[in-house]
Amino acid sequence: MGLVCGRVEGMKDDAKLEKIWDVVVIGGGPAGMMAAIQAAIKGASVILLEKNSGLGKKLLITGGGRCNVTNAEPELRKLVGRYKGSDQFLFSAFSQYDNQGALAWFHSQGMPTKVENEGRVFPASNTARSVWEVLVREMEKSGVAVRLNSAVQELVSDQRGLITSARLVDGSEVAGRSFIVAAGGSARPETGSTGDAWAWLKQLGHTIIPVSRALVPIAIKDKWVKKLAGLTLPDIKLTIVLDGKREGSRKGKLLFTHVGVTGPTVLNMSRSIGEMLPYGDVTLLLDLLPASDHGGVKEKLYEILNKESNKKLKNSLAMLVPVALVQVLLEIAGIDGEQFSHSVKREERVALVALLKAVPLRVQGLLGEDKAVVSSGGVALGEVDFKTMRSRLVPNLYIVGDVLNVDRPSGGYSLQLCWTTGFVAGASSWSEK
Ligand SMILES: Cc1cc2nc3c(=O)[nH]c(=O)nc-3n(C[C@H](O)[C@H](O)[C@H](O)COP(=O)(O)OP(=O)(O)OC[C@H]3O[C@@H](n4cnc5c(N)ncnc54)[C@H](O)[C@@H]3O)c2cc1C
C-alpha cells in the first residue's frame, strides 16, 4: 500500500495550508486513524498530522506483531468493567461503539478474526499489518488527507479559548474547526509516542495524571520460586519477553523472594515490565551464565560432565550454578539428577544448556502498595465528556486513545479503547456542527 505519501507531499505546495479543515487529527496511530475515517465518512474535510514518516508504527508491533485487536467479551458491562477505575467514564462511549461494533467493521472490511485464550481477538492472518491496511485503505477511500513528517509543537487558541490551528515544528500552521488529539502516551517512545500532547493539553488547562514510575519487585507465577527464597545471584542477565518477542535485557544482581524476584536488575526493569503487562503475557528469561554465549555454556557443561562422569548429574551441575538452583533446574527440565553424568542423554544435555541460558519466569504482576499496575498516565477523565470525547474545557477539542489516563488489563483492551474513543470523537467532531 502506498501509505498515501504522494498526496501528502503534494499537499505542501498546493496552498492547502491556507485552508481551514473541518477536522484536524493529530497522531496517526489506531485512535487517530479511526477518528479521521469516521469524521470523513460524516462528510468533514479531514487532515491527519503524523510526525513519523509512516503511519501506525506502534500498531505494527502490537501483540508481538500479530495485533490483539480487541477482546471478545460479549457483555458490555463486563467489558467496560475491565477498565478498573475508569468504567463509569467509559460506559457512554462504549455504549455507542464497543468490541462488537469494531469487530463487525473489521469483518466488513474483509479482515476475518479469530479468538484465542481469554477472549483475545487477532486477525486471522496473524499479522498486525492486516489491521494497519484496513485503516490506511479506509482513510484513503474516505478522503482523509495525511501529512507525514509533521510534528505538532503546540495548539494555537483565540481569545474565546477555541483552538484555531496546530503549529508544527517547522513553524507552519494547520488551521481547523475541530481538533482531535490522538498523539498517544509515552510507552515505547521510539515508535513516536513521546507524550507530546500532554504539554499542549496542560497549557490549555487540562490536568495530566503523571505516568507512575514503578520501582518494585515482581511477582512470578511459577511456584518453584518459593523454594529459592533468599537466594542471590550476583551476575545474571534478565530479558523481558512480551508474547514471545524479546523487548530488552539488563545484566546485574537478582534475588529470589517467596513470591517472585527482586534486586537492582529487577527493580530497574520493573517499569518496563509494568508497561508491557497490559499488552500480553510477559516472561523474564534468566540467563544464569551471561559471560558465556550458548556455545560457551555447552562447552563448559560437556567438559564437566565428561570430567566428572562418575559423579551424579546433580553434583556435576552444582559446579556451574548454586546448589539451591540445581534441583529446580532439573525439575523444570524433567531430568533425573540421580543419574551418573556419563549417562546423561544428548537431548538432556541440550535441554540443560538451553535452560542455563534462559530459565523462564512467568510474570504475575508488580508488587508493592497500590502499584499492581503502572499507571498509564494522561488526561484526567473527569475533564472529558465521553458521550462525544470532547474536552470539557475547550469546546472544539477532542481527546482519544492513549492520551487519556485509562488503566487496562492485557487482552486487547488498549486497542478497543482506541476504536471506541476514535469512533465517537470522529463522528461527534463533525455531526455536532
Ligand atoms: C509492545 C506493545 C505491544 C502492544 N500490544 C497490544 C495489543 O496486542 N493489543 C492492544 O490492545 N494494545 C496493545 N498495545 C497498546 C497499543 O499499542 C496502544 O494502546 C495504542 O497504540 C494506542 O494508540 P493511540 O492511537 O492512542 O497512540 P499511538 O499508537 O501511540 O499513536 C500515536 C501517534 O501520534 C504520533 N505523534 C506523537 N506525537 C506527535 C506530534 N507531536 N505530532 C504529530 N504526531 C505525533 C506518533 O508518532 C504516533 O504515530 C501494545 C503496546 C506496546 C508498546
Side-chain angles (χ1 to χ4, degrees):
M1 197 159 298
L3 203 69
V4 279
C5 283
R7 191 141 40 90
V8 179
E9 279 158 12
M11 202 162 323
K12 268 200 165 173
D13 312 321
D14 65 6
K16 285 263 168 59
L17 297 185
E18 275 133 52
K19 167 176 178 154
I20 300 181
W21 296 88
D22 291 328
V23 179
V24 178
V25 179
I26 304 167
M33 289 196 270
M34 177 56 102
I37 293 165
Q38 295 313 320
I41 287 174
K42 289 258 170 181
S45 61
V46 182
I47 187 166
L48 182 146
L49 307 172
E50 166 56 52
K51 79 169 166 194
N52 286 334
S53 56
L55 295 163
K57 207 169 166 192
K58 187 180 275 182
L59 176 65
L60 288 169
I61 61 161
T62 54
R66 293 203 304 134
C67 186
N68 179 188
V69 72
T70 186
N71 193 279
E73 171 54 56
E75 266 186 60
L76 181 60
R77 278 198 181 277
K78 274 197 190 156
L79 177 76
V80 178
R82 303 269 158 78
Y83 300 84
K84 286 212 166 52
S86 311
D87 41 347
Q88 74 275 26
F89 296 102
L90 295 180
F91 200 81
S92 57
F94 271 74
S95 56
Q96 294 174 60
Y97 196 71
D98 61 5
N99 52 353
Q100 309 304 331
L103 279 175
W105 186 70
F106 279 109
H107 293 164
S108 74
Q109 299 299 329
M111 191 196 87
T113 55
K114 57 178 175 172
V115 182
E116 295 190 3
N117 63 323
E118 295 168 337
R120 291 162 201 257
V121 182
F122 293 87
S125 64
N126 263 333
T127 164
R129 189 155 286 273
S130 299
V131 181
W132 183 95
E133 279 173 1
V134 167
L135 292 164
V136 172
R137 189 185 62 223
E138 283 313 295
M139 284 211 297
E140 272 185 317
K141 249 168 74 182
S142 58
V144 175
V146 176
R147 251 184 88 173
L148 300 174
N149 302 307
S150 299
V152 171
Q153 194 164 38
E154 62 176 330
L155 297 173
V156 182
S157 322
D158 64 12
Q159 61 279 23
R160 296 168 299 164
L162 289 174
I163 299 168
T164 51
S165 66
R167 186 173 290 137
L168 309 190
V169 287
D170 66 6
S172 63
E173 288 187 25
V174 178
R177 297 186 177 87
S178 286
F179 290 79
I180 301 178
V181 174
S186 60
R188 296 296 290 265
E190 74 278 12
T191 62
S193 324
T194 43
D196 300 6
W198 293 332
W200 324 322
L201 296 174
K202 197 170 172 190
Q203 233 178 5
L204 291 168
H206 274 290
T207 311
I208 309 300
I209 311 294
V211 179
S212 70
R213 313 266 160 199
L215 217 58
V216 291
I218 306 294
I220 298 295
K221 289 180 189 164
D222 305 281
K223 295 290 170 246
W224 53 259
V225 293
K226 200 174 175 168
K227 295 185 192 160
L228 301 179
L231 175 70
T232 299
L233 301 173
D235 184 20
I236 53 89
K237 187 169 115 187
L238 212 52
T239 302
I240 306 177
V241 177
L242 172 68
D243 286 335
K245 210 160 166 275
R246 287 172 188 246
E247 299 283 348
S249 53
R250 234 173 217 269
K251 280 187 185 167
K253 190 165 152 182
L254 175 137
L255 176 74
F256 284 96
T257 69
H258 285 279
V259 290
V261 286
T262 188
T265 317
V266 172
L267 296 179
N268 285 324
M269 291 175 99
S270 59
R271 181 175 173 231
S272 307
I273 294 168
E275 279 179 0
M276 296 295 144
L277 281 172
Y279 310 136
D281 291 326
V282 181
T283 299
L284 302 176
L285 296 180
L286 171 60
D287 182 346
L288 295 164
L289 301 166
S292 310
D293 63 9
H294 199 271
V297 171
K298 182 177 168 189
E299 216 170 281
K300 268 188 195 159
L301 178 72
Y302 281 38
E303 196 183 305
I304 289 174
L305 295 183
N306 290 340
K307 225 163 120 193
E308 311 293 339
S309 59
N310 289 326
K311 265 193 184 165
K312 286 185 174 173
L313 170 61
K314 63 178 188 185
N315 297 329
S316 296
L317 268 184
M319 300 174 82
L320 272 177
V321 294
V323 180
L325 254 177
V326 171
Q327 199 47 42
V328 166
L329 292 182
L330 290 167
E331 271 172 35
I332 297 174
I335 297 172
D336 176 15
E338 299 297 327
Q339 63 180 309
F340 289 108
S341 296
H342 61 75
S343 49
V344 180
K345 293 190 212 61
R346 195 184 161 271
E347 59 270 25
E348 291 178 326
R349 291 172 184 232
V350 170
L352 282 172
V353 172
L355 205 51
L356 288 165
K357 288 303 285 175
V359 184
L361 300 156
R362 292 172 303 142
V363 174
Q364 170 109 54
L366 303 190
L367 282 172
E369 272 174 74
D370 297 330
K371 282 179 184 157
V373 178
V374 177
S375 164
S376 55
V379 173
L381 302 186
E383 296 171 357
V384 176
D385 174 5
F386 279 80
K387 276 195 221 81
T388 55
M389 298 316 298
R390 188 159 69 160
S391 157
R392 292 191 191 278
L393 277 58
V394 183
N396 66 341
L397 170 67
Y398 296 78
I399 306 170
V400 297
D402 275 7
V403 183
L404 297 160
N405 180 43
V406 180
D407 289 332
R408 60 268 172 172
S410 154
Y413 299 95
S414 301
L415 284 174
Q416 184 55 50
L417 182 73
C418 294
W419 312 136
T420 295
T421 56
F423 182 97
V424 172
S428 316
S429 61
W430 179 243
S431 64
E432 280 190 347
K433 302 285 163 300

